[in-house]
Amino acid sequence: MTLRFTAPVVLPCDPGCSVLRNAAVDVVDGRITWVGPVAEAPPHTGAVRALPGLLLPGLVNTHCHTPMLLLRGMGGDLPLLRWLHEVMWPAEGRLTASDVRTGMVSGCVELLRTGTTTSVEMYFFTDAVIDAVLAVGSRVLLTPGVITAPGWDRLGSWEAMRNGISRRIDRDGLRSGPSERIELGYGPHAAYTLPAEALRSVAEHARERGALLHLHLAETLDEDAALRASHGSVPAWLDQLGVFGGRVLAAHGVHLSDDDIGLLAARGAAVAHCPGSNAKLAAGVARVAALRRAGVRVGLGTDGPASGDDLDLWSQARLAGFLARVTSGDAAALTAPELLLMATRDSAAAIGRDDLGTLSPGCWADLVHVDLADPAFVDPADDGQLLSNLVWAAGARLVRDVWVAGEQVLADGEPTRVDRAAATRELREVAARLHT
């Protein structure tokens, strides 16, 4: 299928965060073939979709547990370890595959309505998560969880969890589904919930297959105090185990020393920055400026909707900017263009995907249409003002339409493949059982 999108403003999210005026994006078979001013566009014989607002690439959420939408609000005033042990893990122990699908469907809809087309998920019941993503039409990099914490043995040993992922990748490849909507990776939960042998082995399986290794790292001071006492630094210990070296995404990275940051940079590991969840759980503030200065790729994440509460990556971008400025005393720390790129291009780079997060030839046509008529945009003709207003004032509430691989999956704020009201009813029915 050949399609041309035109819009008064196109933000390709290239390294310079360019603003293109009266521009076009050409799409053939779900991938972008050309981006630039309409006046310079090549000949086109297919359909044309003229949009009245702003067009940008779909956002990439680098760390989430979306099915936890079912548990939203539970244990909301507890620190991380009590929240996990006393509330979350017991509640998750009652989830069925059908429940997880229900939570993921509503979560995918919520993600699309905020302009997020790709989410990096760490969860269980892999078939249910994949089925939900394909039903809604979004995109996922799914890293099924591997964990040995109390109660999780109901899903099998860590070896069984690891082997299940490896068998899927060996059978289906890393990417599968229509327009490669599904990518598989490995989700070893954390250094404090897995033995050394498991961390080493899962990392080996991931490297052998070129898969993403996605784990929680240095989220709170309490979680890995024993490991720090015995090994000096959790990143250093993981390095000794051979965990780094492939595609590694460390979620949170709040409590990292200069040496830890240097190690992540040297090993090419990336960090998923989740400022909202870290703030709500009183975990702390990640050293984003130091990470970026060291050359560590930093993407944005919401974390799960049971700790971060919403799946709005725009709000995370704003909070990341606020915290960077407050902690540094620098009012120019993380500018609007930098925050926009963190939610798109940088997040895609953090997960090793150069075909997402930007509008350029060869990339998937994951597109977001934003309403420019709203007074959030006080001077859309000024490039700097436009970017500032988009990040600081507009955000998710002005997302109107979304396409994934050139297919419209959100039209005027409503999903095109599923009934949002019906999905919400089903979500509430399951949640009512879990919350009692």
Side-chain angles (χ1 to χ4, degrees), residues 89 93 124 146-158 160-161 193:
W89 288 349
F124 308 91
V146 181
I147 189 170
T148 59
W152 287 104
D153 55 353
R154 67 187 182 278
L155 297 180
S157 64
W158 68 261
M161 297 177 190
T193 55

Side-chain angles (χ1 to χ4, degrees), residues 148-355:
T148 59
W152 287 104
D153 55 353
R154 67 187 182 278
L155 297 180
S157 64
W158 68 261
E159 293 95 337
M161 297 177 190
R162 176 205 61 194
N163 292 342
I165 301 168
S166 297
R167 280 195 300 270
R168 284 178 180 273
I169 293 174
D170 293 344
R171 181 190 69 202
D172 302 331
L174 277 180
R175 302 180 194 175
S176 61
S179 303
E180 298 182 350
R181 276 176 163 85
I182 309 299
E183 180 176 354
L184 289 172
Y186 294 78
H189 179 264
Y192 65 92
T193 55
L194 285 165
E197 180 187 2
L199 292 165
R200 182 187 297 111
S201 177
V202 173
E204 288 173 356
H205 276 239
R207 274 196 306 275
E208 288 170 359
R209 293 162 177 81
L212 183 73
L213 185 84
H214 174 208
L215 78 165
H216 298 88
L217 177 66
E219 184 175 359
T220 69
L221 284 172
D222 294 338
E223 68 190 38
D224 50 19
L227 288 173
R228 289 201 310 277
S230 58
H231 299 283
S233 161
V234 175
W237 182 56
L238 293 175
D239 192 44
Q240 293 171 21
L241 294 175
V243 170
F244 299 123
R247 293 168 61 191
V248 177
L249 176 67
H252 303 295
V254 176
H255 300 283
L256 298 173
S257 68
D258 289 345
D259 288 343
D260 293 334
I261 291 173
L263 176 59
L264 293 182
R267 297 294 182 263
V271 168
H273 179 37
C274 305
S277 175
N278 296 155
K280 185 164 184 261
L281 294 169
V285 181
R287 300 173 60 199
V288 174
L291 287 162
R292 285 164 59 92
R293 280 197 304 270
V296 177
R297 292 163 293 141
V298 180
L300 281 172
T302 60
D303 206 354
S307 61
D309 287 274
D310 68 37
L311 296 173
D312 181 357
L313 209 59
W314 294 100
S315 69
Q316 299 302 312
R318 285 192 290 271
L319 183 56
F322 293 151
L323 293 175
R325 293 173 182 219
V326 167
T327 55
S328 68
D330 179 4
L334 290 184
T335 63
E338 288 174 324
L339 291 168
L340 177 61
L341 294 185
M342 278 186 72
T344 53
R345 185 185 192 90
D346 293 354
S347 282
I351 62 174
R353 292 293 297 264
D354 60 5
D355 56 344

Side-chain angles (χ1 to χ4, degrees), residues 87-174:
V87 181
M88 284 299 109
W89 288 349
E92 287 180 298
R94 300 165 62 190
L95 291 174
T96 66
S98 177
D99 296 338
V100 168
R101 185 188 186 282
T102 295
M104 192 67 190
V105 165
S106 278
C108 287
V109 171
E110 186 170 327
L111 287 164
L112 289 178
R113 296 185 81 220
T114 67
T116 297
T117 51
T118 299
S119 64
V120 181
E121 303 286 346
M122 182 189 292
Y123 220 66
F124 308 91
F125 295 108
T126 300
D127 287 329
V129 174
I130 290 174
D131 189 54
V133 170
L134 294 179
V136 177
S138 56
R139 194 181 294 281
V140 71
L141 201 170
L142 175 58
T143 62
V146 181
I147 189 170
T148 59
W152 287 104
D153 55 353
R154 67 187 182 278
L155 297 180
S157 64
W158 68 261
E159 293 95 337
M161 297 177 190
R162 176 205 61 194
N163 292 342
I165 301 168
S166 297
R167 280 195 300 270
R168 284 178 180 273
I169 293 174
D170 293 344
R171 181 190 69 202
D172 302 331
L174 277 180

